[in-house]
Every structure is written in C-alpha cells, then in structure tokens.
Amino acid sequence: MEQILNDFLIIWATIDPIGTMALFAGLTASLSPSERRKTAFKTIIYSSAVLLGAIVVGQIILTAMGISLLSFKVAGGIILFLFGLKMIFDDSSPRNEMDREHNMAVFPLAIPATASPGAILAVILLTDNYTHPIHQQITTTLVMFSILLITLGLLLLSGRILRIIGSGGASILTRIMGIILAALSVEFVVEALSIEKWISSFS
C-alpha cells in the first residue's frame, strides 16, 4: 500500500488533474456540451497512449542511448522538483484564444498538460525494469490509468466544479500538489544517490 500511495502521489502531481481541469475549462468554454465531452475523451485517450508508450519502450530507448539509470533518476528528480516549483509559483492563466478547428485534445490538453514531461519521466522511473518486479510495474500502470480516469471525470465535470471552488480554489489545490511533488522529487534524488545510507554511516 505504501508503494501504491507513493506512485499515486507522484503520478497525480505530474499529471495534475486539477490544473488540467482548469486548462480544459478555459479552452473549451466556447464549445458545445457534446464537443466538450468528445474533447475530454480524446484528451484522455491520447494521454494514455503516450504514457503507456513511455512505460513500454521508454527504458529501452534510454538503454539504446547509453544513458545510465542513475543519471536518469537524478536528472528526473531535479526535473520533477522544478516542475513542482512551477506548479507552486506559476501565475499564468490558462485562458488562451485558440482556433476552433485546432485539435486542442492533442495540444495542449494531452501534451503537455496531461501527459506532461514530468508525467512521462515519472512513469519511466516508477517502472524501472532493474528495480521493480513485473507485478509492481503492472500495479503502477493501473495506478496511472486510475488517475487518468479521475482526470476524465474532472474534465467532464469541469464546468460544475469550477463554479463551486472557483479559480482561486483550483489554484490553491494545484500549489498544494506542487509542494508534495517537490518533496517527493527530493526523496527521489536521495534514494538514487543513497544519501540517507551515506549519512547514517557517519552517525
């Protein structure tokens, strides 16, 4: 359960369903209810394909490029930390004018909003073939899909939810998840470099 909770928090923070919901609400405000539903489903389908592809072939690509897992874990922790800081301090508004013919389900809703660089990086690290057995990788994949389903639910209910919590409430929740992500990313680096064991050896 501890591993599942850890995976859930990391993937939740990097996918950021709350922030995606706010972005979705802003970009699809001019669409009809049926168009909004279609866009929501397409967003989750595209995001699922990208993240599942990262789980299946991400580590193979890293191996082919000669990138060590230790380097990737440290770099991943640093990137996730910066991603968390961005969530905490970013004041940019999601309300951008876009062409109705533009497939916003692909960009920016699927990539980089839902299947963000941080999320892609996180699922690769959490399904490392050298440290996680196959049953843990399957569990992590199921956790990822559960969060994507929650995200879909939020997208479908984005209009109602935002009317209740307001943009201020969404902003607060996003920043809370940013703080959690920053803390978890530090833990990532500490674990990769075995800093805790190194410190305990001198105590």
Side-chain angles (χ1 to χ4, degrees):
M1 287 302 298
E2 182 180 354
Q3 181 66 39
I4 293 175
L5 179 60
N6 182 69
D7 292 351
F8 184 90
L9 289 174
I10 291 177
I11 298 175
W12 175 281
T14 52
I15 290 179
D16 186 20
I18 301 298
T20 302
M21 176 194 66
L23 178 64
F24 180 86
L27 293 179
T28 61
S30 61
L31 300 180
S32 67
S34 62
E35 290 175 329
R36 286 168 64 92
R37 285 193 296 272
K38 289 180 181 179
T39 303
F41 279 104
K42 287 181 180 180
T43 297
I44 298 304
I45 291 173
Y46 297 149
S47 302
S48 299
V50 170
L51 293 176
L52 184 60
I55 290 175
V56 174
V57 301
Q59 191 167 3
I60 297 175
I61 294 175
L62 289 178
T63 302
M65 296 177 64
I67 300 175
S68 69
L69 191 60
L70 176 61
S71 299
F72 193 70
K73 282 185 175 181
V74 174
I78 295 172
I79 292 174
L80 292 178
F81 181 77
L82 296 175
F83 190 83
L85 292 182
K86 184 177 183 298
M87 291 172 63
I88 297 171
F89 297 109
D90 190 12
D91 292 324
S92 60
S93 172
R95 294 178 174 81
N96 296 321
E97 295 293 332
M98 298 190 67
D99 189 342
R100 288 176 61 89
E101 296 182 358
H102 178 71
N103 195 351
M104 66 180 71
V106 177
F107 177 85
L109 291 175
I111 303 173
T114 308
S116 64
I120 294 172
L121 193 61
V123 296
I124 292 176
L125 291 175
L126 293 173
T127 57
D128 170 28
N129 294 330
Y130 298 106
T131 58
H132 300 288
I134 187 64
H135 71 273
Q136 284 189 8
Q137 297 183 41
I138 293 174
T139 300
T140 300
T141 303
L142 293 177
V143 169
M144 179 198 74
F145 279 123
S146 69
I147 294 174
L148 288 173
L149 286 177
I150 294 173
T151 304
L152 174 61
L154 290 174
L155 297 186
L156 295 175
L157 297 173
S158 59
R160 296 179 183 179
I161 294 175
L162 285 178
R163 281 196 296 270
I164 295 174
I165 68 175
S167 58
S171 177
I172 291 173
L173 289 176
T174 298
R175 281 159 173 74
I176 291 174
M177 293 311 302
I179 294 172
I180 294 175
L181 177 59
L184 289 173
S185 65
V186 171
E187 190 69 24
F188 239 165
V189 175
V190 170
E191 181 181 353
L193 298 179
S194 300
I195 294 177
E196 187 175 356
K197 294 180 181 179
W198 181 75
I199 293 177
S200 62
S201 65
F202 290 93
S203 60

